[in-house]
Amino acid sequence: MTMKLDGRPVVQYLREDMKKRIAKLAERGQVPTILIIRVGDREDDLSYERSILKNCEILGINSVLAPLPATVSQEDLIELIEKFNEDDMVHGIMLFNPLPPHLDLNVIRKTINPIKDIDSINPANLERVFEGNVKGIAPCTPKAVIEMLKYYNIPLVGANVAMVGSSLVVGKPLSMLLLDEKATVTLCHSKTKNLAKITNQADIVVVAIGRGKFLKEEYFNDNTVIVDVGINDDGNGKICGDVDYDQVFGKVKAISPPLGGVGVITTTILLSHVIQACEGLNPIE
Ligand code: NAP
């Protein structure tokens, strides 16, 4: 029987701890506060914004919205970020990206104070992840995958993990987090030879390639644990993962679903970083 790695119980579990930490901060007269900077009106950003606001309300986290026109200049955007870097009432800064083409994310992301960089887009935070420095803020999706595996008691120490996809947002930082857990990681990409052989030899396969239903049953065996990070349009207006969930379900040990899987945990992790920043547990070294 295949176990479904449902993200929602993981969210409930994480929220319990977060609520306790928020209550402790309230005793100190502090309310964790997130600033959301949205440039333009991309539907993806609006949808993520709605999800963040809903979760803020559930948890009791303050939110401040800074919607900017798609035509905003780089100087004005940086000025806004710098203003909130200095504002003690704001603990975490979330900047939606991709940005319009006239804005240079590589420059802008470095202006977010690493202490407030809750989405871990400042290279200073990524650097800490690669150093194995637990005080840094790790990117939310990789951390969501780790939380999911831990919640379902999937052993990581000594496990062989095939990480399929090597982007800077998911595959590379997640490989580092898995290494920190003492897993043995094989990092795969579009030029990897014999991918099916590698995935078949792995205990855990994490997939983040952005290709709908690309991995079929021949990539797995009945002992494989699959975490599917992919979010794709299946061409019929439905969301699908990078793994062919319907074909694979029933033939592997465990698999996360395309909806209600890793994605739902990501927002919770983002808000846990706001709490972490408010607690002052993220010193720059
Ligand atoms: P990305 O930047 O496009 O990177 C894709 C990676 O997959 C690259 O390393 C690429 O290899 C590799 N790849 C592409 N085709 C492959 C193949 N046939 N075999 C093996 N590797 C292959 O994508 P991303 O930003 O990491 O996102 C990946 C997926 O995760 C997307 O569906 C995205 O929507 C989803 N996502 C979900 C969340 C969430 O919270 N659930 C968050 C972020 C992303 P090369 O480097 O060789 O090109």
Side-chain angles (χ1 to χ4, degrees):
M1 210 179 82
T2 300
M3 173 169 49
K4 180 178 168 185
L5 303 176
D6 191 338
R8 285 161 296 197
V10 188
V11 168
Q12 290 306 331
Y13 170 76
L14 293 172
R15 273 186 194 156
E16 290 312 308
D17 176 60
M18 288 162 71
K19 281 180 179 165
K20 284 181 200 152
R21 289 160 63 195
I22 289 170
K24 266 198 182 161
L25 286 166
E27 284 168 18
R28 280 169 28 188
Q30 287 184 294
V31 183
T33 299
I34 180 175
L35 169 77
I36 302 172
I37 305 176
R38 172 171 44 81
V39 180
D41 293 315
R42 288 176 67 245
E43 188 42 49
D44 282 1
D45 294 345
L46 288 166
S47 155
Y48 196 12
E49 183 177 293
R50 283 191 293 273
S51 162
I52 294 171
L53 294 179
K54 193 175 125 200
N55 278 278
C56 280
E57 207 177 312
I58 293 168
L59 285 158
I61 289 177
N62 264 347
S63 52
V64 179
L65 287 181
L68 297 171
T71 52
V72 68
S73 71
Q74 180 143 319
E75 293 70 31
D76 286 351
L77 176 54
I78 290 175
E79 196 180 313
L80 181 93
I81 291 170
E82 286 174 344
K83 180 180 135 203
F84 284 103
N85 277 343
E86 300 301 320
D87 185 339
D88 290 342
M89 299 305 285
V90 164
H91 305 102
I93 298 175
M94 170 72 192
L95 169 67
F96 290 125
N97 64 80
L99 293 168
H102 68 283
L103 300 173
D104 188 346
L105 182 64
N106 276 330
V107 173
I108 294 162
R109 63 194 186 139
K110 291 181 189 151
T111 67
I112 299 179
N113 181 346
I115 291 176
K116 300 190 178 190
D117 176 31
I118 51 172
D119 200 27
S120 192
I121 62 172
N122 188 321
N125 273 317
L126 268 184
E127 197 179 301
R128 291 185 197 167
V129 170
F130 280 74
E131 285 171 347
N133 181 343
V134 291
K135 287 180 181 155
I137 298 182
C140 300
T141 301
K143 218 164 153 183
V145 172
I146 298 287
E147 291 295 345
M148 172 180 267
L149 290 167
K150 285 187 172 174
Y151 177 84
Y152 286 103
N153 293 318
I154 311 289
L156 288 172
V157 178
N160 286 316
V161 182
M163 176 67 241
V164 188
S166 60
S167 73
L168 203 54
V169 182
V170 187
K172 281 182 189 157
L174 180 49
S175 298
M176 294 302 118
L177 298 185
L178 288 161
L179 270 182
D180 285 344
E181 299 294 334
K182 291 289 169 208
T184 304
V185 185
T186 307
L187 183 51
C188 310
H189 47 78
S190 64
K191 302 286 185 287
T192 296
K193 287 180 184 160
N194 300 322
L195 181 62
K197 189 175 171 202
I198 294 169
T199 53
N200 263 293
Q201 285 171 348
D203 304 302
I204 302 167
V205 181
V206 184
V207 191
I209 61 173
R211 304 189 68 177
K213 301 187 186 181
F214 184 83
L215 278 84
K216 309 272 185 199
E217 60 182 306
E218 63 272 19
Y219 284 84
F220 312 106
N221 61 57
D222 54 8
N223 261 321
T224 318
V225 173
I226 305 169
V227 180
D228 189 356
V229 179
I231 302 174
N232 313 285
D233 187 331
D234 73 352
N236 296 312
K238 279 191 174 170
I239 298 287
C240 71
D242 290 338
V243 177
D244 192 334
Y245 184 83
D246 292 334
Q247 191 201 57
V248 163
F249 196 89
K251 295 170 186 147
V252 295
K253 189 168 174 184
I255 181 169
S256 66
L259 276 176
V262 175
V264 293
I265 308 172
T266 302
T267 312
T268 307
I269 298 291
L270 180 82
L271 295 182
S272 78
H273 289 162
V274 183
I275 301 169
Q276 181 181 333
C278 185
E279 289 169 330
L281 293 180
N282 184 31
I284 306 180
E285 281 162 8

